[in-house]
Amino acid sequence: MNPLQPKANTYKELSSSSSTITTLSNSSSETSIVDDEQYDDAESQRRPSLVTVDSFHDNALEHTTSTNERVQQYTSYRRSSKEEKYMSDDKFVEYDTSPSSSNRQLIQRVFTTNLVPNEMLLRVYRNVCHPYRHLHHQQLNDQDSADDADDGGLIMIKLVKLWVCTIVSIIVYHEFARFMAMEVDHNYSLTDFFLYDFQSVLQDLLFFFVVGRLYKSHSSGVDVLFPWGILALIGAIYPSIVTDFEFLRHSLSMYEIMCNWPAALFVYVAVLVTIAVVLVAAQLRSHYRRGVLGSRLVEVTVMFFIFIAPYITDDNFHLHHWYGMWLVGMLANSPEWWSRCLQAYCLGSYINGIGVYGRDPILGCKYAFYRSTNVECQFMECYEGSGVGNETVLYKDFVSPDWRTCDAGDAIP
């Protein structure tokens, strides 16, 4: 039954009146019947043919309410994609104003609002970097473009926030871990951090920002309580807490795995691997749903050959948790909330690794040996070989740890 068609008795009542019902249709356009309903193919099959009524009898007015209800029911399941977009727009949504809803909105606002508003920083940035921007666009009669132009300011603000928040967090956690008597490298100071690691950390964060898609619109910046504040705090504290368990005081290297790992640690790692498989599957599903799976797989492959493949076959390779979490955090770049939570947790673990132990090289002592011998440091005289010629100092070879025989060699596994 056509919901727009009046009832039979309505037509009887209307027939007694002098009004007529005129159907407007384009005689040159074709028509089709879909689900017993007539549509104008010249426009869209989602819109019914227009029917106008010259006049109605007074007795027909009582049917207006029921007819409107049928129209609403009809349009409720025949909305176009554009109509659905409008229905989901904040300007057309009627919010629940009950006390419980207000409390939820207040909590959401507290946890997701930037500590320093991006809009305020953007105005400062544009006033400093583009003081004559408005004047220039006024001359071109294009003031709207002056306000909406993408000059990279918002992306720069998000990057600077990441730099500042991470550096401050490293400094704070460096002191906090020592105050709480956690396991730390007592020979590593903040002076060492700024002297040796500061520049490398900024480069790490730049790569994290770009590959992690922190410049996208779904990320308003890292200065929000959720997910960045809360999850980054958990990620920073958890690695220090687990060191209280004896079986977890081991590193991730082939020598440690084959020679020193206890059975309980293998069980712990198996649980982590299971969680990782679930998260990877969710990431792949998200990428596939958004149509970017192919590009993300290429991205992961390129990163593997840059950051893992050159070192994985070396016996000195030591996957520090700052390095592993940095890589995982970059790849957790889906817009879903759980992916951003994982990304924030990984950033917190990165902060823990740098603040507690420093940015140790992933090749350990072999990397330090190479740097020291390459510049012929005097303290490396103990490694000098028997032959010296042409002003070139010869050093004995560095003995790498052997996980096959559990011989540590010259390294500290």
Side-chain angles (χ1 to χ4, degrees):
M1 174 181 176
N2 192 335
L4 293 178
Q5 182 180 0
K7 295 181 180 180
N9 57 358
T10 303
Y11 282 110
K12 292 180 180 179
E13 295 174 356
L14 293 177
S15 60
S16 61
S17 65
S18 61
S19 64
T20 60
I21 300 177
T22 305
T23 302
L24 300 180
S25 60
N26 189 346
S27 59
S28 61
S29 63
E30 298 180 357
T31 58
S32 62
I33 303 298
V34 179
D35 296 335
D36 297 332
E37 295 168 357
Q38 190 173 10
Y39 296 91
D40 185 2
D41 289 334
E43 295 293 334
S44 171
Q45 289 190 356
R46 287 187 174 275
R47 189 175 61 190
S49 301
L50 298 178
V51 179
T52 60
V53 180
D54 294 334
S55 61
F56 284 97
H57 193 272
D58 293 340
N59 295 334
L61 295 178
E62 62 183 4
H63 300 283
T64 302
T65 303
S66 60
T67 302
N68 290 337
E69 292 176 354
R70 291 196 297 272
V71 170
Q72 293 176 0
Q73 182 181 5
Y74 169 79
T75 58
S76 64
Y77 62 87
R78 300 199 66 88
R79 294 193 187 106
S80 65
S81 58
K82 190 173 184 179
E83 291 170 336
E84 291 291 347
K85 181 180 179 180
Y86 286 145
M87 293 297 293
S88 61
D89 197 309
D90 290 343
K91 294 182 296 183
F92 300 95
V93 176
E94 296 183 1
Y95 293 99
D96 186 4
T97 58
S98 61
S100 59
S101 177
S102 301
N103 293 335
R104 288 194 302 269
Q105 293 178 10
L106 177 61
I107 295 175
Q108 181 180 5
R109 192 179 304 113
V110 169
F111 279 86
T112 59
T113 300
N114 296 97
L115 298 181
V116 182
N118 291 337
E119 294 76 11
M120 181 188 71
L121 295 177
L122 186 59
R123 286 195 298 269
V124 174
Y125 167 81
R126 287 176 173 173
N127 290 334
V128 173
C129 299
H130 308 286
Y132 304 106
R133 176 176 56 89
H134 291 285
L135 178 61
H136 173 70
H137 285 281
Q138 283 177 356
Q139 293 175 351
L140 298 177
N141 296 323
D142 196 8
Q143 180 62 36
D144 293 337
S145 298
D147 296 330
D148 301 332
D150 182 10
D151 56 356
L154 185 58
I155 295 178
M156 177 58 68
I157 288 172
K158 293 179 180 180
L159 175 60
V160 172
K161 280 186 175 183
L162 177 64
W163 276 339
V164 173
C165 292
T166 304
I167 297 301
V168 171
S169 298
I170 290 174
I171 296 173
V172 171
Y173 196 80
H174 176 89
E175 299 298 329
F176 174 77
R178 282 152 180 78
F179 176 78
M180 297 298 295
M182 296 178 175
E183 181 179 320
V184 297
D185 182 359
H186 293 283
N187 296 321
Y188 185 72
S189 64
L190 289 178
T191 302
D192 296 330
F193 167 72
F194 284 102
L195 185 60
Y196 303 114
D197 296 336
F198 179 71
Q199 182 180 8
S200 297
V201 168
L202 293 182
Q203 294 173 352
D204 292 342
L205 295 176
L206 177 59
F207 218 95
F208 190 92
F209 179 82
V210 175
V211 180
R213 306 304 195 276
L214 296 184
Y215 56 87
K216 292 287 189 178
S217 59
H218 63 76
S219 176
S220 61
V222 297
D223 58 330
V224 292
L225 290 179
F226 184 85
W228 291 101
I230 298 175
L231 272 299
L233 179 62
I234 296 175
I237 294 178
Y238 180 75
S240 295
I241 294 177
V242 298
T243 56
D244 293 336
F245 300 92
E246 184 66 29
F247 76 96
L248 292 177
R249 294 181 180 177
H250 295 276
S251 59
L252 184 58
S253 64
M254 284 301 299
Y255 180 88
E256 279 285 308
I257 294 174
M258 302 303 296
C259 303
N260 294 330
W261 274 24
L265 183 53
F266 282 97
V267 176
Y268 176 81
V269 171
V271 175
L272 294 182
V273 170
T274 302
I275 298 175
V277 169
V278 174
L279 292 176
V280 168
Q283 287 282 346
L284 294 176
R285 181 180 180 274
S286 173
H287 295 330
Y288 177 78
R289 180 179 56 83
R290 292 179 290 112
V292 296
L293 180 59
S295 62
R296 292 297 194 271
L297 291 178
V298 172
E299 182 178 278
V300 172
T301 303
V302 172
M303 291 187 61
F304 173 80
F305 281 103
I306 294 177
F307 297 109
I308 298 295
Y311 319 107
I312 195 171
T313 58
D314 195 296
D315 291 335
N316 296 273
F317 179 59
H318 178 176
L319 187 61
H320 294 285
H321 71 279
W322 73 261
Y323 192 79
M325 291 294 101
W326 174 69
L327 289 175
V328 173
M330 284 191 294
L331 298 177
N333 50 22
S334 297
E336 289 81 4
W337 67 270
W338 50 266
S339 182
R340 289 183 287 123
C341 288
L342 175 61
Q343 196 171 50
Y345 177 87
C346 292
L347 180 63
S349 295
Y350 175 86
I351 292 171
N352 174 277
I354 305 299
V356 172
Y357 303 106
R359 194 179 180 276
D360 294 334
I362 58 176
L363 293 181
C365 295
K366 184 178 182 179
Y367 180 83
F369 180 86
Y370 164 75
R371 287 298 187 189
S372 300
T373 56
N374 187 56
V375 297
E376 300 181 4
C377 295
Q378 294 298 321
F379 59 80
M380 297 300 294
E381 293 179 354
C382 58
Y383 271 93
E384 289 183 6
S386 56
V388 178
N390 298 327
E391 299 182 356
T392 300
V393 180
L394 301 179
Y395 294 95
K396 295 180 292 185
D397 293 334
F398 180 84
V399 181
S400 300
D402 190 351
W403 56 269
R404 302 165 189 84
T405 61
C406 291
D407 182 10
D410 293 329
I412 302 176

